[in-house]
Amino acid sequence: MELKGTIVDIDYVTQGKRSVIRITLRGEGNHGSGIYAVYDHSFYPYFYIVPGGRAVTREMLAGMSLRVDGETVSPRAVEEKEMEVHGKKIVLFKVSVDNTKNVPKLSEAMVEFGERFEYDIVFWKRYLIDMGVSPMSGVAIETEDAEGLLLLRSIKPAEVKNPEIKYLCFDIETYNPVGAPRPEKDEVIMISYACGNRSGVLTTKKIDRQFVALLSGEKEMIEEFGRIIRELDADAIVGYNSSNFDIPYLIARAERTKADFRIGRYDSAPKQEHHGLIESVKIPGRMNVDVYNIAKFVSVVGASEKLIRANRFTLSEVYAAITGDEKKMVDRRNIWQIWDGSEADREELADYSLGDAVSLEKVFLYFLPLEVEVSRVTGTTLAETCISTTGQLVEYLLMRYAHNSNEIVPNRPVESEITGRLANPIEGAYVKTPEAGIYKNIVVYDFRGLYPSIIIAYNIDPSTLCTECADYHEAPDGTRFRKAPQGIIPKALRILIKERSEIKKAYKKDPDNAYLMARSQALKILANSFYGYLGYARSRWYSRGCASSVTALGRSYISQTMETAEKAGFRVLYGDTDSIFILRGPKPKEDAERLLEKVNGDLPDSMELELEDFYTSGVFVGKRGAEGAGAKKKYALLSESGRIKIRGFELVRRDWSNISRETQRAVLDTILKDGSKEKAIAIVKEVVKRLREGRVQISDLVIRTQLRKKIDSYDSKSPELSAAKKAIKAGTKTREELEGATIGYVVTRKGSTVSEKAELEEFAQDYDPDYYINHQIIPSTLKILKELGVNEEELINMGSQKKL
């Protein structure tokens, strides 16, 4: 039978003594469209041995055996191959085994013959790499029927325009009489779900809402949720922070109530796993999609400006950033009281619960194209994409290119190597700091993908490093790189950049195509991550020589461009990493455009300087402790089209309150658009007055920060730490809930120090206006206003009542 579709999940199962690949495919076959389970018995786990200082034969490796878990383990096959290792062709041995669990110990035992490679690549990832297929891009599979099982005969890539993904978005509500719910004691009281035109709430108390289904108990509710998943045949189980909370909580409650929670395909239950620093859940045959991880990823990679603008990553804030709407909220700490209250209270809780699932669905569908395209580019599963860092995605992509180029994948570094790398940091980018002040007629230029284009132009790759080669590129620090053959890193980057250029052209012709836009974003994110991966201490392809050469060349090109601008009569205001800001003064725009042509005429083919925009005005604030010197990456610009570009100010940081961010933004807008010092000062005075009179909502005064360490390991007593300890002592929060979490606190009136006054946001009843005036509003606005001649004493005096 021939099947064509997309891989929903891929894993492996044990059949006898064999590890067998299992593919869960949604597609079309002789029996129509649906889910197919396909098993591949022809693919075996393997690793490589590169012979050391003594002669090694195939027979020596093939004859080796050892005891593992009471069984004798020996190679299934040993094959001699010629491959490239560290840039050199070498003869090595490919060792295959029957079961993937035997790879680590057998490869370790063979270290006496040489160095082992590719022994730690997960079996299903190994399969996708070797087969050259990408789950979301589609596959065509030839199968044969063997006693009711579909066995794979062949698999190859196939074109699938937009993959069909059946999904179920869900959320749970729990009883919480002590604040944080306790899975060993507190039951799940509601499960909400949404998928297309179907949505509802499962619960155990009668509620007069059409979308509510009444179950006889918690056990029955959990089992009904599983039945709905199976009925809808959901490929993706979508939650928000669900890998950390919702699914583990349901697993715990299912165990407590003896509920059947086998929500995976193949009659299987979900399993909690660790994926680096991220908690994940494996649901066999389905995809676990935690949208919280996606939102955080988008923020980290710098794509949030185009995709979302959120100061923190609660579902409500991300939903508001995406849709512009507010979702229904309740006081989460009082959910247990609402549940125990009147029927009208429970109706409100049901509305809120359903709203969570419906809101999550909109957020998921918004991010889905990006995740699909990242999955397609890297060739990994959608579930894996949703929990991966940029470094992990780049590494997976490079593994594919290494396999296709017949190169060995380097080993992960051991801890001693990592320590040595961290102790020898790489010099960063060139920065020319600006002079603090307000400026007119600014022109901003950016090198398009500076670091990727340098890597391509100079063929920078660990395998191309050389000392005695005749034909080479040389970095300013003297490091040399062979001109040929091309390394896999510049090769991969050239392909990514070329494809993005083509995608951008297609997107211009079809601007409503969300997948084209997402493809462009995915390609940009990955291309911009290669330099960081080269210099990442835990990288398989780490190279200090490569990474330091990239930054050295970047500094050189920025400096050369600045010199060219100054020779053309422009004043260079600011330069940082891959961009320069010049003051046009009375010169016409045409002169700025001619400068662009001049610079590009002298650059290598793969590099290009772009004109970002013309700006009518800009504010550059001073660097703390340096009179007149401006801070890097801290400015605000007003373009000729009226767009405001802001970098580095408190309004884009989460550790300042909303009132501080909003006031700073209003001051910036006024200065850039009106150029009025008086209007800006009036804005600050009005906010100070509102704070004094108690007319500011507590929600606008919340300060957010993350408790990155164990609570008892902190040496100093910070406000956030004090607030957390108070909540733990009162029994309203647990250590497990707070440690590692981003918490919000308010500085209240009660106490003599800021730490004593700090309370978690949900417990704050009032606020200390003096603190917010003198430590939030004035510091955040003084940085700007002092560039207009407002001195510190004048602005600080606004904080005292006698001045108002």
Side-chain angles (χ1 to χ4, degrees):
M1 178 169 61
E2 184 178 40
L3 301 172
K4 185 177 180 181
T6 55
I7 296 174
V8 170
D9 185 35
I10 180 168
D11 56 7
Y12 61 91
V13 294
T14 301
Q15 294 182 351
K17 295 183 179 182
R18 283 283 321 277
S19 292
V20 177
I21 289 290
R22 178 174 64 188
I23 299 168
T24 305
L25 184 83
R26 178 166 292 284
E28 299 278 344
N30 294 350
H31 303 302
S33 61
I35 285 291
Y36 293 87
V38 182
Y39 298 84
D40 190 345
H41 287 77
S42 66
F43 191 77
Y44 292 87
Y46 67 85
F47 58 91
Y48 293 108
I49 293 292
V50 175
R54 61 173 171 143
V56 179
T57 65
R58 189 187 67 80
E59 290 73 20
M60 291 168 66
L61 297 178
M64 187 168 189
S65 66
L66 67 154
R67 300 285 289 178
V68 177
D69 298 330
E71 296 182 358
T72 300
V73 174
S74 57
R76 177 188 172 275
V78 178
E79 177 186 355
E80 190 174 290
K81 295 189 68 173
E82 184 180 75
M83 295 181 71
E84 194 165 299
V85 182
H86 303 312
K88 297 178 181 178
K89 289 195 182 206
I90 195 167
V91 175
L92 47 71
F93 297 96
K94 177 182 178 181
V95 182
S96 302
V97 298
D98 287 318
N99 197 305
T100 187
K101 73 176 184 179
N102 297 328
V103 169
K105 291 188 177 180
L106 190 59
S107 64
E108 185 178 3
M110 288 187 175
V111 166
E112 65 174 289
F113 297 107
E115 190 174 3
R116 59 177 177 164
F117 286 93
E118 300 196 19
Y119 59 91
D120 57 354
I121 299 175
V122 178
F123 188 36
W124 64 262
K125 292 183 179 181
R126 170 89 275 169
Y127 183 83
L128 291 176
I129 291 168
D130 286 24
M131 295 299 108
V133 294
S134 177
M136 288 293 110
S137 292
V139 293
I141 300 177
E142 285 283 346
T143 68
E144 61 181 75
D145 196 308
E147 298 180 357
L149 292 180
L150 289 178
L151 302 186
L152 184 143
R153 294 171 59 188
S154 68
I155 183 171
K156 62 183 179 181
E159 183 67 27
V160 174
K161 190 172 184 182
N162 290 328
E164 178 191 2
I165 297 173
K166 291 190 175 184
Y167 63 87
L168 179 75
C169 298
F170 83 101
D171 187 61
I172 70 171
E173 309 303 335
T174 57
Y175 198 66
N176 61 336
V178 296
R182 303 159 295 182
E184 71 279 5
K185 291 184 178 181
D186 299 326
E187 72 268 28
V188 177
I189 56 178
M190 286 182 181
I191 304 176
S192 59
Y193 64 91
C195 52
N197 57 6
R198 180 171 174 180
S199 60
V201 173
L202 309 177
T203 190
T204 57
K205 285 186 180 181
K206 188 177 183 305
I207 299 174
D208 188 18
R209 288 285 192 270
Q210 285 189 339
F211 57 80
V212 171
L214 177 64
L215 284 304
S216 58
E218 184 185 13
K219 174 179 182 291
E220 291 72 22
M221 179 176 59
I222 293 172
E223 291 180 341
E224 175 64 10
F225 178 53
R227 189 196 66 77
I228 291 171
I229 290 173
R230 291 187 291 274
E231 177 190 332
L232 294 171
D233 199 21
D235 302 322
I237 310 301
V238 184
Y240 203 86
N241 199 33
S242 50
S243 295
N244 282 301
F245 178 71
D246 300 72
I247 296 179
Y249 206 95
L250 285 169
I251 292 172
R253 294 307 299 167
E255 183 178 343
R256 199 81 177 175
T257 61
K258 311 299 183 189
D260 184 349
F261 195 51
R262 288 176 290 180
I263 61 172
R265 291 186 169 111
Y266 316 115
D267 201 30
S268 55
K271 296 183 295 183
Q272 293 175 255
E273 298 178 342
H274 297 287
H275 191 275
L277 298 176
I278 296 176
E279 295 297 317
S280 65
V281 174
K282 171 71 175 174
I283 307 176
R286 307 190 199 275
M287 297 177 280
N288 171 45
V289 178
D290 190 335
V291 180
Y292 172 76
N293 291 332
I294 299 174
K296 292 287 287 183
F297 173 85
V298 168
S299 171
V300 169
V301 300
S304 54
E305 283 198 11
K306 290 198 173 182
L307 295 173
I308 58 169
R309 285 182 177 273
N311 292 317
R312 59 187 188 130
F313 295 95
T314 61
L315 175 58
S316 59
E317 288 213 20
V318 173
Y319 174 76
I322 288 171
T323 67
D325 297 329
E326 299 292 328
K327 67 180 287 292
K328 181 177 178 59
M329 299 296 293
V330 298
D331 187 346
R332 292 189 64 86
R333 60 183 172 162
N334 292 330
I335 282 180
W336 68 282
Q337 291 177 320
I338 301 172
W339 178 249
D340 288 340
S342 66
E343 188 171 335
D345 289 337
R346 288 191 290 277
E347 288 172 1
E348 182 183 4
L349 185 59
D351 292 340
Y352 162 75
S353 182
L354 182 67
D356 271 357
V358 172
S359 300
L360 173 59
E361 181 180 26
K362 291 181 179 178
V363 173
F364 165 67
L365 293 176
Y366 179 80
F367 284 127
L368 180 61
L370 176 66
E371 294 304 300
V372 166
E373 294 305 332
V374 172
S375 173
R376 283 173 162 170
V377 173
T378 58
T380 190
T381 63
L382 186 64
E384 186 79 1
T385 298
C386 293
I387 56 174
S388 295
T389 63
T390 54
Q392 289 165 338
L393 292 170
V394 167
E395 181 170 283
Y396 192 70
L397 187 62
L398 286 176
M399 285 181 181
R400 281 181 168 262
Y401 279 99
H403 177 79
N404 294 339
S405 301
N406 200 38
E407 290 188 27
I408 281 286
V409 172
N411 288 328
R412 286 195 180 100
V414 298
E415 284 302 316
S416 59
E417 288 178 282
I418 294 168
T419 301
R421 293 172 179 182
L422 292 172
N424 192 18
I426 296 162
E427 185 179 353
Y430 174 86
V431 176
K432 170 184 167 56
T433 56
E435 292 182 18
I438 297 172
Y439 298 90
K440 301 292 183 183
N441 292 334
I442 302 169
V443 187
V444 178
Y445 300 96
D446 278 314
F447 278 98
R448 185 178 66 188
L450 177 62
Y451 286 177
S453 61
I454 285 173
I455 291 171
I456 294 169
Y458 286 79
N459 199 25
I460 294 176
D461 186 277
S463 69
T464 64
L465 283 163
C466 64
T467 54
E468 298 179 359
C469 43
D471 196 13
Y472 56 85
H473 299 290
E474 185 169 349
D477 60 2
T479 306
R480 294 178 179 181
F481 302 92
R482 288 196 318 266
K483 288 187 176 181
Q486 191 175 43
I488 64 167
I489 289 177
K491 183 188 298 183
L493 279 171
R494 188 180 288 278
I495 291 170
L496 294 178
I497 291 170
K498 181 181 178 182
E499 183 182 352
R500 184 165 187 249
S501 177
E502 293 169 354
I503 290 292
K504 287 171 77 173
K505 292 175 186 175
Y507 182 58
K508 283 183 179 179
K509 297 177 182 178
D510 187 8
D512 295 326
N513 190 320
Y515 280 88
L516 283 177
M517 188 274 277
R519 181 79 170 188
S520 177
Q521 281 288 319
L523 291 164
K524 180 180 179 181
I525 288 167
L526 289 164
N528 288 341
S529 301
F530 272 71
Y531 161 72
Y533 182 70
L534 272 173
Y536 175 49
R538 297 182 182 276
S539 165
R540 291 178 186 266
W541 271 271
Y542 172 89
S543 169
R544 192 179 192 283
C546 290
S548 62
S549 294
V550 172
T551 53
L553 285 160
R555 292 191 298 272
S556 174
Y557 279 111
I558 286 288
S559 298
Q560 290 172 27
T561 304
M562 289 181 177
E563 288 176 13
T564 303
E566 287 171 349
K567 286 178 182 177
F570 295 98
R571 177 187 166 192
V572 176
L573 173 64
Y574 175 46
D576 188 359
T577 308
D578 60 357
S579 59
I580 65 167
F581 297 55
I582 66 170
L583 298 178
R584 181 161 56 91
K587 287 180 176 290
K589 290 181 180 179
E590 289 75 15
D591 283 8
E593 291 164 350
R594 277 192 286 271
L595 172 64
L596 185 69
E597 293 174 5
K598 164 64 178 165
V599 172
N600 281 325
D602 297 331
L603 292 175
D605 290 342
S606 65
M607 298 179 67
E608 183 181 357
L609 186 69
E610 296 179 315
L611 174 62
E612 180 192 286
D613 212 341
F614 291 99
Y615 294 92
T616 60
S617 60
V619 176
F620 290 79
V621 301
K623 185 178 180 181
R624 182 180 298 177
E627 188 65 31
K632 65 178 182 179
K633 295 186 185 295
K634 203 159 192 175
Y635 55 84
L637 303 171
L638 176 66
S639 74
E640 291 183 341
S641 63
R643 178 178 65 92
I644 293 180
K645 177 180 180 178
I646 297 172
R647 290 289 182 275
F649 284 109
E650 280 68 28
L651 57 93
V652 294
R653 288 171 49 187
R654 70 184 180 196
D655 55 348
W656 285 72
S657 61
N658 277 343
I659 191 70
S660 172
R661 286 192 289 263
E662 289 170 1
T663 305
Q664 190 184 70
R665 177 59 185 251
V667 167
L668 281 171
D669 284 357
T670 298
I671 291 173
L672 290 172
K673 292 178 179 178
D674 300 332
S676 172
K677 175 175 78 172
E678 291 72 22
K679 284 185 179 180
I681 291 174
I683 288 169
V684 179
K685 284 185 176 181
E686 174 58 25
V687 173
V688 169
K689 184 179 179 185
R690 285 172 51 215
L691 281 164
R692 286 287 182 204
E693 295 174 353
R695 292 189 288 118
V696 176
Q697 296 289 328
I698 288 180
S699 59
D700 285 330
L701 301 167
V702 177
I703 301 167
R704 302 198 178 279
T705 191
Q706 185 176 9
L707 294 175
R708 298 184 180 275
K709 301 187 293 185
K710 297 290 184 183
I711 286 175
D712 291 334
S713 67
Y714 283 87
D715 295 328
S716 59
K717 188 176 181 182
S718 62
E720 63 270 21
L721 185 63
S722 175
K725 286 185 173 181
K726 287 178 191 176
I728 293 169
K729 186 176 181 180
T732 53
K733 294 284 184 181
T734 65
R735 288 180 183 273
E736 293 74 21
E737 186 179 12
L738 293 175
E739 288 179 343
T742 297
I743 66 168
Y745 68 90
V746 175
V747 178
T748 66
R749 293 177 181 271
K750 187 177 179 181
S752 57
T753 67
V754 173
S755 291
E756 289 176 3
K757 293 178 179 183
E759 294 281 357
L760 293 186
E761 59 179 304
E762 53 263 55
F763 310 126
Q765 302 297 318
D766 56 33
Y767 65 84
D768 179 359
D770 287 335
Y771 172 82
Y772 286 95
I773 293 167
N774 294 314
H775 295 277
Q776 293 262 309
I777 300 301
I778 290 176
S780 65
T781 55
L782 180 60
K783 293 174 183 178
I784 305 160
L785 290 172
K786 71 178 182 181
E787 310 307 338
L788 292 172
V790 179
N791 62 49
E792 186 170 357
E793 183 180 355
E794 180 183 356
L795 199 56
I796 287 176
N797 284 338
M798 294 180 190
S800 63
Q801 282 183 299
K802 65 182 180 181
K803 289 287 181 181
L804 298 174

